[in-house]
Amino acid sequence: MMITQYPDNIEERLGFDQIRQWTIKRCLTFAGQEKIAQMPFYTQLDELLKVLQMIDELRAIRTLNQNFPLSHFEPLNRLFQKLKVDNAYMDIEDLLSLKTFLEVGKSVQQAMEHESMQTYHQLKDFLKGLVLHAYVSEQIQRVLSKKGEIKDNASQELQSIRKALRVRQAEVSTTIHRVYSKVKQSGWLEADLSVTIVNGRLLIPIDSQHKRKINGWVHDVSATGKTAYIEPQEVIQLNNEIVELERRESIEIDAILADLTDKIRPYADDLIQAYDLIAWLDLYNAKAKLAFEMEAIKPAIYEQPNIRLQKARHPILWMTFQKQSREVVPLNLRLEQNQNLVVISGPNAGGKSVALKTVGLLQLMLQYAYLLPVGGATEMGIFNKIFIDIGDQQSMDNDLSTYSSHLLNMKHFLKFGDSSTLILIDEFGTGTEPILGGAIAEAVLEKLSDIGVYGVITTHYSNLKHIAVSRVGLVNAAMLFDHQKMQPLYELELNQAGSSFAFEMARKIGLPEEVLLSASEKVGHEQVDFDKHLREVLRDKKYWSDKRAKIRQNEKEMDRLVEELTITKEQLEKSKKLALKEAQQEAKAILDEVNKKVEQTIRDIKQAQAEKEQTKAIRKEFDEFKEEILAKKQAENEDQLLKKIEKLRKRTEEKKPKRTIPQSTPKKEEQDKIIQIGAKVRIKDSDTYGEVLELQHKKATISVGQMQMQIDLNKLILVSNTEFKKKLLPKTSTNINVFSDSMSKKLHFSAHIDVRGQRVDEALASIQKFLDDAVSTETKSLKILHGTGTGALKVAIRQLLKAHECVQNFSDDLLELGGAGITVVQMSFD
């Protein structure tokens, strides 16, 4: 028989016995606990994946707080033995246990039919083998009551017996209480004593000195002899009849149970199979509970030998630390085809043995179908054999020393190890003279490498670290150490050898310096320098490793920001398309309504045969309809625009007190032409009108539309209030084409403007009109192409944008779309 695990106590050495105990505690049934000893060590990938998938589904059910009604039931082993033997029959206790089991199985089946369970395919497939015959449950319900008693109507004979029994019991009760009352009145009773039942018979407790005053049978006497328990003569015959009826009742119940057993016996095999299936389900559910508590997952699993642990935690250490609110340092380690043997070195108590045992325990758990407390990138393979050499295996019985036991283990590894074997060796080469032990360890390591085994080896020997550097398939790994604080970090770093920090630890403990100096001379400066340089390499590597980690973190953040910007851009494009579509639909609806009215007007005129008065009336009705549409639409826009202008004007007036530019008093005609706060003005060489909000030296701050801008006084022309109002509030056209042009403007408005090559004041005027058009068309996303140049134009434009009430924010465009040469503007019309 092929040995898959070595030595026999491998589970105790790796801590898997503790995992078994945890699983036992989480089983709901004794049947499930029995299955723990029968767990197979899986070496076939397809079988392992099915079981692990089912356990993962049970874990998911628990994670999502879904109801899975698996519950406790008593063992049925004795019942199954009775079903296999002719003329043997179940007792009431067996029947109750079977009834509970069938109810649990039925509940599980019904739960799996629920809509929320339809995604758990492996679990549903497994439970297809659960066959529960309704006939068995019906027969049990026919005989057994909800209280767990045989029903009266289980048979006609039983019903007749129990009826007679109740009659006799009533007669006895009546008679005994009548006699009791008589005795009590006579004063023959002991104080506070009442009718007593002894051996199923009703007896009266009487003071012993009066016992001969009653005809009856003395059944018992108290320990003190003061009280005699008498069965009156009147009820002796009735009690005898009751005893006989109870005997007949017992015989009839046995007959009913025997008959019921015979009816159930043909279904024995299906019951045994169902019991076995539910037992395994209980075990899998216990594993799922444990996985939930350990935050374990199902890693990627492959058929070929392979271990790639990512953020792996030692299960026992993690569960212990959880209770103490401590953190476990996760393990990252790889064993693969070109890196099949890892040699771990580092200081004592630095975590080498824990790392080695973590690998072994997780591999055992995996192949015994447990989910693992590892990171999502973990990959695991299947090993046919797992061999370990951990701890002191000295044996007095076999006259074996520690080193001899190690050598025997190496012999076994070399004889039975192959490319599908995982070996774990702790403190390789120790237990004998270091030079000789190191040489043997080196030779064994080379041979194991030639065989192609996979494994993890811990050591302090420098020669093993050297061979790991030069030999293909071997790789060094170091347990990191903080040489400043002189404490281990418990982190494993691949592709580097670890230092034992022997001199540093001795110095920290306080060993005399002269002793350390002497030791340094004895070992030789080359060895000390080697260890020193090794530490420096470790320190530098950790520094650059941290740097790389920070760079990766920054790159992730950049990727996230780019992704957010891309999503924002896509959302803006969608919003733009949606707004355009809505505007087109609105325009189409209005134009359709107008066209219908036009067609109706033409029909009315034709029907009136061009009679002058009637034609006038029709034209008047059409004009009123047209005015109503235009006025309604323009009123909405103008009302919104006026509200924003008034709000901006009031805000400006509150912030800045009115004042005029100090100058000599002019003539009355000239004074009328002086620009003052509140005056209405127009910008020269443009069609832009505004109201003066503030005067400062030779410049004026004016309100143009919904924004403020600062401009030289000599570029302003004073206009009358009438002209200002005409430009601000143009009259409603009576021509329907005006309305059509307005809708066309909304539909064909370009959200982009190019002001490159224009002077600052020209560009600002163009942009002001551009913003006004954006407000009237309610376009929320704009782009202004101004180029880079000296930057003066960009600054002026952004000052204009800051002053505009409807500008929500603005920024440079994406680098690939123009960057600093384009300003992207987001408008808000709330």
Side-chain angles (χ1 to χ4, degrees), residues 742-784:
S742 175
M743 293 307 300
S744 177
K745 179 179 179 181
K746 182 173 182 179
L747 293 174
H748 298 93
F749 172 71
S750 174
H752 304 261
I753 185 172
D754 186 351
V755 295
R756 291 177 297 180
Q758 296 183 19
R759 296 195 306 274
V760 172
D761 55 345
E762 292 175 343
L764 293 180
S766 300
I767 291 171
Q768 178 56 51
K769 186 175 184 305
F770 176 63
L771 294 174
D772 290 343
D773 290 344
V775 171
S776 64
T777 59
E778 295 188 350
T779 304
K780 292 186 176 181
S781 183
L782 308 172
K783 284 191 178 183
I784 302 173

Side-chain angles (χ1 to χ4, degrees), residues 53 75 82 127 187 255 275 284 300 379 428 444 514 518 538 566 614 633 698 741 810:
Q53 180 60 34
K82 292 178 181 179
L127 288 172
Y275 180 79
Y284 299 151
E379 297 177 3
F428 194 24
V444 170
E514 60 270 19
S518 175
L538 292 177
T566 303
Q614 197 166 354
K633 187 63 183 176
K698 295 183 180 181
D741 290 344
F810 53 84

Side-chain angles (χ1 to χ4, degrees), residues 635-651:
E636 291 177 358
N637 294 336
E638 290 171 354
D639 184 60
Q640 185 179 10
L641 189 62
L642 285 174
K643 283 181 180 178
K644 291 181 178 178
I645 292 173
E646 182 64 20
K647 183 178 179 182
L648 182 62
R649 187 183 65 77
K650 287 182 178 179
R651 187 189 303 166

Side-chain angles (χ1 to χ4, degrees), residues 15-16 25 28 79 82 104 123 159 198-199 218 239 346 353 384 438 441 539 560 642 649 820 824:
F16 187 71
K25 290 181 180 179
L28 297 171
L79 181 148
K82 292 178 181 179
V104 171
L123 187 58
Q159 193 168 24
V198 178
N199 296 326
V218 178
N239 277 333
S353 296
N384 293 329
R539 179 196 61 202
R560 185 186 65 80
L642 285 174
R649 187 183 65 77
V824 179

Side-chain angles (χ1 to χ4, degrees), residues 418-693:
D418 55 32
S419 59
S420 64
T421 302
L422 174 66
I423 65 165
L424 305 169
I425 305 174
D426 194 24
E427 299 294 349
F428 194 24
T430 58
T432 188
E433 197 277 323
I435 296 178
L436 299 180
I440 293 175
E442 184 176 338
V444 170
L445 183 58
E446 290 177 342
K447 186 62 177 177
L448 290 173
S449 177
D450 292 338
I451 294 172
V453 300
Y454 290 75
V456 178
I457 295 164
T458 69
T459 187
H460 286 284
Y461 286 175
S462 296
N463 63 318
L464 299 184
K465 303 177 193 178
H466 285 271
I467 191 176
V469 173
S470 59
R471 194 173 182 89
V472 176
L474 272 69
V475 63
N476 274 309
M479 299 306 302
L480 300 184
F481 191 84
D482 190 331
H483 67 279
Q484 293 180 343
K485 297 180 180 179
M486 294 305 295
Q487 62 185 27
L489 298 175
Y490 304 110
E491 295 179 17
L492 183 70
E493 185 74 24
L494 288 171
N495 298 309
Q496 66 182 48
S499 170
S500 297
F501 292 92
F503 280 87
E504 288 75 10
M505 293 293 290
R507 188 170 285 111
K508 181 183 178 183
I509 290 172
L511 212 61
E513 194 62 36
E514 60 270 19
V515 173
L516 295 177
L517 183 61
S518 175
S520 177
E521 292 174 351
K522 292 179 182 300
V523 76
H525 290 289
E526 290 184 1
Q527 181 64 33
V528 175
D529 290 342
F530 171 79
D531 212 41
K532 178 182 177 183
H533 295 323
L534 184 59
R535 292 195 303 274
E536 291 174 350
V537 168
L538 292 177
R539 179 196 61 202
D540 293 344
K541 187 165 185 176
K542 187 175 186 305
Y543 171 80
W544 290 112
S545 177
D546 292 343
K547 282 285 187 183
R548 285 196 302 272
K550 189 173 292 185
I551 291 171
R552 284 195 295 269
Q553 185 178 357
N554 291 338
E555 288 177 345
K556 286 183 180 180
E557 181 65 17
M558 288 179 61
D559 291 342
R560 185 186 65 80
L561 291 174
V562 169
E563 184 178 359
E564 286 182 1
L565 288 171
T566 303
I567 293 172
T568 302
K569 181 183 176 183
E570 291 174 354
Q571 290 174 343
L572 290 174
E573 289 294 329
K574 288 180 181 178
S575 299
K576 177 182 174 183
K577 290 178 180 178
L578 181 61
L580 182 60
K581 183 178 180 181
E582 290 175 351
Q584 290 173 337
Q585 290 174 346
E586 182 182 353
K588 185 178 183 300
I590 294 173
L591 291 174
D592 287 345
E593 186 177 0
V594 172
N595 288 333
K596 287 179 182 178
K597 190 64 178 177
V598 171
E599 291 171 1
Q600 183 63 39
T601 301
I602 293 171
R603 283 196 298 270
D604 291 345
I605 291 173
K606 286 182 179 180
Q607 290 174 3
Q609 296 179 351
E611 292 182 11
K612 187 175 181 181
E613 292 300 324
Q614 197 166 354
T615 301
K616 281 184 177 181
I618 294 171
R619 288 184 181 278
K620 182 178 180 183
E621 182 184 349
F622 174 72
D623 290 341
E624 288 175 354
F625 170 74
K626 179 176 60 179
E627 290 289 344
E628 180 184 351
I629 293 177
L630 292 171
K632 182 179 178 181
K633 187 63 183 176
Q634 187 159 342
E636 291 177 358
N637 294 336
E638 290 171 354
D639 184 60
Q640 185 179 10
L641 189 62
L642 285 174
K643 283 181 180 178
K644 291 181 178 178
I645 292 173
E646 182 64 20
K647 183 178 179 182
L648 182 62
R649 187 183 65 77
K650 287 182 178 179
R651 187 189 303 166
T652 305
E653 289 177 354
E654 289 173 359
K655 290 181 179 179
K656 302 290 183 179
K658 291 186 177 181
R659 61 187 180 87
T660 58
I661 299 176
Q663 46 187 302
S664 59
T665 305
K667 296 179 181 179
K668 188 177 185 308
E669 295 80 11
E670 293 176 350
Q671 189 172 3
D672 291 339
K673 295 183 180 180
I674 293 175
I675 296 176
Q676 297 180 341
I677 292 176
K680 308 301 187 289
V681 295
R682 176 173 63 82
I683 299 175
K684 289 181 180 180
D685 301 325
S686 76
D687 196 29
T688 303
Y689 287 74
E691 180 180 354
V692 178
L693 300 177

